[in-house]
Amino acid sequence: MQENKLLLIPGPTPVVERVLGALAKPTVSHISPEIEKELSGAVENMKKIVFTHEGQPLIVAGAGTLAMEIALLNITADSDRVLIVSQGYFGARMAEIAEAFDIKHSLLQSHWGKVVTREELAAELKKHKYDIVVCTHVDTATGAGAPIKEYAETIKEVAPEALFVVDGVCATGGIPEKMDEWGIDVILTAAQKCLGAPPGLAIDVFSPRAINKRRKLARVKAYYADLLRWLPVMENPNRYFSTPCVNEIRAFYEATRIVLEEGLENRFDRHERFASAIRSGLSSLGFSVYTDETCLSSTLSVIRYPNGLNDVSFRQKLYENGVVVAGGLGPTSGQVFRFGHMGNITREQIIFAFDAIEKSLFSLGYEFSLGDGVETVRSLLIK
Ligand code: PMP
């Protein structure tokens, strides 16, 4: 039973009462005044969250992986070549999607735990012509955060015709993504991470340039995922294309209101403060950070075990003490755990987590100085 455990995996993140309350509101007609207000509200709020005036959000039932498909399928012509800039797991997934739909693509891959540099991106763009560049903002397997603004500048300099797509599933609403100012053409994301809503929605925000590209394509390899079928609904939610998940939309609207009530700058700042306190607390207990220090993301920490600590036993004990964290993915499996600290988590929850970590270490017979972790986070997160 995970019901009363504190969920500190890198998504889904804990969902606060206000959002759960909205999810439990009556299931109304998808073309009712309630949904008209709440879907339009969510669309407007998403624009604010990614700093766009002209971009058009698309919010549909699905998950981050559908948002990845929607982004690629709606802007790729048969003759196009896509460059996938990857830090690891989710870049590789983007390549699998491209393969599944016979989209011509190349992979520019960093070492795990690092990111592709601006110079490496520029060199690749000079070597070959690309019509689309896709990158993961934060790779949830490695904790590495890509320099999106620098990538956007590089693309503008070297390949200004190319459309720039950012996978913000582990970033949007927790780390800045300034769509208009930086020149991003599609930001794709999902409800369940930094935005603090339950899983169930795929979100893509398209720039006018990206929408024009879709309009120029005679056909795309998508039906449900076709932007042009959804645009009228997003512009006017009392139109029908396919029944939207009304309860999830009600919850998502509330979640976006919470994000904006906190204020985006405050929220980004809180993610930074929490991340650095958590890493200090863990290092005071003998853990270390897996990710290269030049590209640490504030939304999660990928943490190496000290010698003598077993991954499965540690996470099991932690679970018994009330906290769920995630194991490593791919080559890091068994060597690290992943601590998600994005969304609406609180100082009190972090202190609770450190208390649980210390209890777990103690019962596993690991030698450490009792209280150091809790004290470190407590002192760094003074209200
Ligand atoms: N991209 C990134 C960066 C992710 O972290 C994830 C999910 N962890 C996905 C895409 C896929 O999202 P979903 O699991 O919602 O399909």
Side-chain angles (χ1 to χ4, degrees), residues 60 116 126 157 299 306 347 353:
V60 299
V116 169
K126 282 176 191 159
E157 274 163 36
T299 52
R347 171 184 185 270

Coordinates of all heavy atoms in Angstrom, one line a residue, residues 60 116 126 157 299 306 347 353:
V60 N -4.3 17.5 -24.1 CA -5.1 16.3 -24.4 C -4.8 15.2 -23.5 O -3.7 15.1 -22.9 CB -5.0 15.9 -25.8 CG1 -5.4 16.9 -26.8 CG2 -3.6 15.4 -26.1
V116 N 25.1 17.6 -23.9 CA 25.8 18.0 -25.1 C 26.1 19.5 -24.9 O 25.2 20.3 -24.5 CB 24.8 17.8 -26.3 CG1 25.3 18.4 -27.6 CG2 24.6 16.3 -26.5
K126 N 26.6 22.5 -38.3 CA 27.4 23.0 -39.4 C 27.7 21.8 -40.4 O 27.8 22.0 -41.6 CB 28.7 23.6 -38.9 CG 28.5 25.0 -38.4 CD 29.7 25.6 -37.8 CE 29.4 26.9 -37.1 NZ 30.5 27.2 -36.1
E157 N 21.7 31.0 -34.6 CA 22.9 31.5 -35.4 C 23.3 30.6 -36.5 O 23.6 31.0 -37.6 CB 24.2 31.4 -34.4 CG 24.4 32.6 -33.5 CD 25.3 32.2 -32.4 OE1 26.2 31.4 -32.6 OE2 25.1 32.8 -31.3
T299 N 15.2 19.9 -10.4 CA 13.9 19.2 -10.2 C 14.1 17.8 -9.6 O 13.1 17.2 -9.1 CB 13.2 19.1 -11.6 OG1 14.1 18.5 -12.6 CG2 12.7 20.4 -12.0
P306 N 26.9 5.4 -0.9 CA 28.2 5.2 -0.4 C 28.5 3.7 -0.3 O 27.6 2.9 -0.4 CB 28.1 5.8 1.1 CG 26.7 5.9 1.4 CD 25.9 5.8 0.1
R347 N 8.9 22.2 2.6 CA 10.0 22.0 3.5 C 9.7 20.9 4.5 O 10.6 20.1 4.8 CB 10.1 23.4 4.2 CG 11.1 23.5 5.4 CD 11.0 24.8 6.0 NE 12.0 25.0 7.1 CZ 11.8 24.7 8.3 NH1 10.6 24.2 8.7 NH2 12.7 24.8 9.2
A353 N 11.4 13.4 5.0 CA 12.1 12.4 4.2 C 13.5 12.2 4.8 O 14.0 11.1 4.8 CB 12.3 13.0 2.8

